[in-house]
């Protein structure tokens, strides 16, 4: 039987990613009703929360999350417009944009961080619920290789 385009590994990974992102977005939206935040926005905020005390650049975030400059810029702009992150510049290089949680963003995460972490854990468990421990390890290895 001939394989269709959607039977290829790339489209299957993309479909899985879309389903996971939709699940995370809906779960996060139910947790944080104060703002219309998406999974990537929450992920960036958690990254900044866990990196407190360290200078984080927009380029570092783009590289870490493998996102294009326009995509990360859009996420940053929305969070800044809500007053949840502060945007600045490195003193030594004004071309480098720095990111940090604002007081408002920090307080929001402090209030919801346990629920956010539990949501991430629940979604991860759901993703691998039909896999054995050996399958999970193999999947992690494959994803790391890819």
């Amino acid at each position: 039987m001939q394989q269709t385009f959607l039977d290829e590994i790339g489209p299957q990974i993309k479909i899985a990613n879309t389903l996971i992102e939709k699940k995370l977005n809906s779960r996060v939206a139910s947790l944080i009703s104060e703002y219309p935040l998406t999974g990537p926005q929450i992920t960036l905020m958690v990254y900044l929360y866990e990196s407190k005390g360290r200078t984080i650049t927009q380029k570092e975030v783009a590289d870490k999350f493998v996102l294009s400059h326009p995509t990360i810029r859009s996420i940053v702009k929305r969070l800044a417009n809500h007053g949840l992150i502060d945007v600045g510049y490195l003193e030594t290089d004004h071309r480098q944009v720095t990111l940090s949680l604002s007081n408002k963003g920090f307080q929001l995460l402090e209030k919801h961080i346990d629920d956010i972490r539990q949501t991430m854990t629940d979604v991860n468990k759901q993703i691998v619920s039909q896999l054995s421990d050996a399958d999970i390890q193999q999947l992690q290895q494959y994803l790391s290789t890819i």
Side-chain angles (χ1 to χ4, degrees):
M1 181 172 185
Q2 185 179 8
Q3 256 190 332
T4 67
F5 173 73
L6 292 179
D7 293 328
E8 298 287 333
I9 193 75
Q12 288 181 355
I13 290 172
K14 176 59 180 151
I15 290 166
N17 176 64
T18 300
L19 292 172
I20 293 165
E21 193 168 353
K22 282 183 178 183
K23 174 65 87 176
L24 281 174
N25 284 348
S26 69
R27 294 279 305 268
V28 166
S30 70
L31 288 177
I32 302 175
S33 58
E34 300 99 308
Y35 302 94
L37 299 176
T38 64
Q41 290 169 339
I42 286 290
T43 302
L44 172 57
M45 290 181 66
V46 171
Y47 183 74
L48 295 174
Y49 178 84
E50 291 177 345
S51 300
K52 53 189 165 206
R54 221 171 45 80
T55 301
I56 305 298
T57 65
Q58 186 170 292
K59 179 172 179 3
E60 174 188 337
V61 172
D63 292 347
K64 185 78 170 171
F65 296 120
V66 194
L67 295 172
S68 69
H69 176 76
T71 299
I72 199 68
R73 184 69 198 122
S74 174
I75 293 168
V76 166
K77 187 175 181 180
R78 279 190 234 115
L79 289 171
N81 285 343
H82 287 302
L84 298 173
I85 65 170
D86 293 326
V87 178
Y89 300 93
L90 281 180
E91 285 184 29
T92 57
D93 184 353
H94 283 33
R95 296 171 297 173
Q96 291 290 321
V97 176
T98 60
L99 306 173
S100 60
L101 284 177
S102 66
N103 287 336
K104 186 178 181 181
F106 186 81
Q107 289 173 1
L108 182 70
L109 274 193
E110 279 285 300
K111 179 178 173 185
H112 296 287
I113 193 66
D114 292 335
D115 292 332
I116 292 168
R117 286 187 174 130
Q118 187 60 53
T119 296
M120 298 291 197
T121 298
D122 292 347
V123 171
N124 280 327
K125 283 181 182 176
Q126 186 177 3
I127 291 166
V128 298
S129 65
Q130 302 298 311
L131 302 176
S132 68
D133 288 344
D135 289 340
I136 293 168
Q137 277 188 311
Q138 190 67 57
L139 176 60
Q140 288 174 319
Q141 189 173 23
Y142 287 148
L143 291 172
S144 179
T145 300
I146 292 171

